């Protein structure tokens, strides 16, 4: 996601960037055939999707800043001819020449409002609130490319999510800036609609970061985040796949990132 920014005057800065996303689909699903072993359906494809991001930063007075950022949606259009195995004589005849499937996913667009205020020369308080359009991600476009092409939109009943965070920064020295914070995200899906392929729930995030000013023009940063999602029950039922239920217990994730800022 390369980006550039421009300071228009003493109180206004604007920025924009390109979001290049590589999508990788690798799906293997069991199919109930009545035989001792389940059949298998496989889909696999790789695509690129592109979007953009834009932001505005306002500084009404020295030490106080407000910003708004927007990240556009990214469409990932996968296509593949499904392959089947272990279906038995009857199933093998039915799926001997399957049509090509087109699967369209939309990575959510988002809006974030942020603010920071310098409490002293060494301490600063930060906060943000945001929205992500997960309901659009949950509407999967499915197309069948055959002699009689058809398409439909499968609604997975996803909800838009809200995000809130608060944090602090400490200026340890002229070259070192340390950060810490806490955030909460609502769940994109209810317990009834959660799937094993994408188990999502409400999230509690704890983060730490450090910024090193290498020179007046260049700075390096590193950050780590621990996300706690707790218990996430799942129950799925399908005519062809049967019923499966269970729970992800004590779910957690870790994220790490590095960044480079070059001012010119």
């Amino acid at each position: 996601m390369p980006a550039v920014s421009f300071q228009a005057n003493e109180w206004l800065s604007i920025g924009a960037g390109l979001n290049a996303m590589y999508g990788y689909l690798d799906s293997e699903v069991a199919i109930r055939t009545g035989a001792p072993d389940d059949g298998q359906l496989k889909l696999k494809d790789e695509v690129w999707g592109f979007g953009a991001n834009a932001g505005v930063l306002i500084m009404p007075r020295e030490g106080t800043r407000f910003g708004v950022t927007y990240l556009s949606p990214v469409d990932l259009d996968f296509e593949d001819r499904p392959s089947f195995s272990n279906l038995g004589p009857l199933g093998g005849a039915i799926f001997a020449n399957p049509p090509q499937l087109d699967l369209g996913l939309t990575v959510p667009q988002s809006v974030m409002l942020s603010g920071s205020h310098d409490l002293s020369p060494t301490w600063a308080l930060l906060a943000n609130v945001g929205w992500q359009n997960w309901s659009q991600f949950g509407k999967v476009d499915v197309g069948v490319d055959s002699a009689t092409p058809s398409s439909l939109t499968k609604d997975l009943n996803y909800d838009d999510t809200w995000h809130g965070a608060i944090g602090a920064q400490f200026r340890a020295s002229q070259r070192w800036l340390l950060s810490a914070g806490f955030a909460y995200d609502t769940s994109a899906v209810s317990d009834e609609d959660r799937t094993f392929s994408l188990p999502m729930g409400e999230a509690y995030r704890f983060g730490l970061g450090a910024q090193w000013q290498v020179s007046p023009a260049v700075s390096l940063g590193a950050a780590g985040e621990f996300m706690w999602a707790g218990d996430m029950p799942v129950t799925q039922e399908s005519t062809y796949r049967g019923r499966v239920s269970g729970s992800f217990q004590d779910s957690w994730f870790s994220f790490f990132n590095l960044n480079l800022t070059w001012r010119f």
Side-chain angles (χ1 to χ4, degrees):
M1 189 184 288
V4 295
S5 62
F6 171 71
Q7 185 172 345
N9 52 43
E10 292 183 354
W11 58 270
L12 176 65
S13 298
I14 57 177
L18 170 68
N19 182 10
M21 184 175 293
Y22 178 72
Y24 180 79
L25 172 67
D26 188 359
S27 177
E28 184 173 336
V29 179
I31 301 176
R32 187 171 57 182
T33 62
D37 297 322
D38 289 332
Q40 298 289 327
L41 179 153
K42 295 182 180 180
L43 289 170
K44 190 173 184 178
D45 192 25
E46 304 168 18
V47 297
W48 279 94
F50 298 93
N53 63 299
V56 175
L57 179 66
I58 298 173
M59 187 168 67
R61 67 175 192 175
E62 187 68 28
T64 301
R65 296 170 293 278
F66 296 98
V68 178
T69 58
Y70 171 72
L71 185 64
S72 75
V74 176
D75 292 329
L76 298 176
D77 298 319
F78 298 102
E79 59 181 36
D80 187 29
R81 192 176 301 277
S83 61
F84 298 90
S85 61
N86 198 34
L87 296 182
L90 181 58
I94 295 174
F95 298 106
N97 187 28
Q100 178 169 287
L101 294 181
D102 298 328
L103 301 175
L105 299 176
T106 301
V107 179
Q109 62 180 330
S110 63
V111 179
M112 185 77 75
L113 171 65
S114 305
S116 69
H117 176 67
D118 293 341
L119 301 175
S120 70
T122 56
W123 285 97
L125 182 67
L126 309 98
N128 62 41
V129 61
W131 166 87
Q132 287 187 317
N133 189 201
W134 281 97
S135 61
Q136 183 62 41
F137 175 85
K139 296 177 181 177
V140 182
D141 296 325
V142 182
V144 179
D145 187 5
S146 62
T148 57
S150 61
S151 63
L152 60 87
T153 299
K154 172 64 176 177
D155 193 344
L156 303 178
N157 297 320
Y158 274 47
D159 300 317
D160 292 343
T161 62
W162 290 91
H163 163 90
I166 188 168
Q169 288 184 330
F170 174 65
R171 175 67 65 179
S173 68
Q174 187 175 1
R175 288 197 169 190
W176 284 98
L177 181 64
L178 307 179
S179 304
F182 166 78
Y184 171 74
D185 293 86
T186 62
S187 178
V189 63
S190 65
D191 290 349
E192 293 78 15
D193 296 315
R194 185 176 292 114
T195 64
F196 281 100
S197 59
L198 191 58
M200 299 176 65
E202 61 182 357
Y204 299 85
R205 303 170 183 264
F206 306 85
L208 295 172
Q211 199 82 16
W212 176 40
Q213 194 69 43
V214 182
S215 70
V218 178
S219 63
L220 295 174
E225 178 184 318
F226 174 79
M227 189 186 87
W228 175 258
D231 299 338
M232 295 186 291
V234 185
T235 299
Q236 288 184 249
E237 190 162 2
S238 169
T239 302
Y240 296 104
R241 289 179 290 169
R243 185 177 187 273
V244 60
S245 64
S247 178
F248 293 90
Q249 300 287 335
D250 299 330
S251 304
W252 58 271
F253 303 84
S254 292
F255 304 89
F256 301 94
N257 71 68
L258 300 173
N259 63 74
L260 166 68
T261 302
W262 177 31
R263 298 173 180 86
F264 58 92

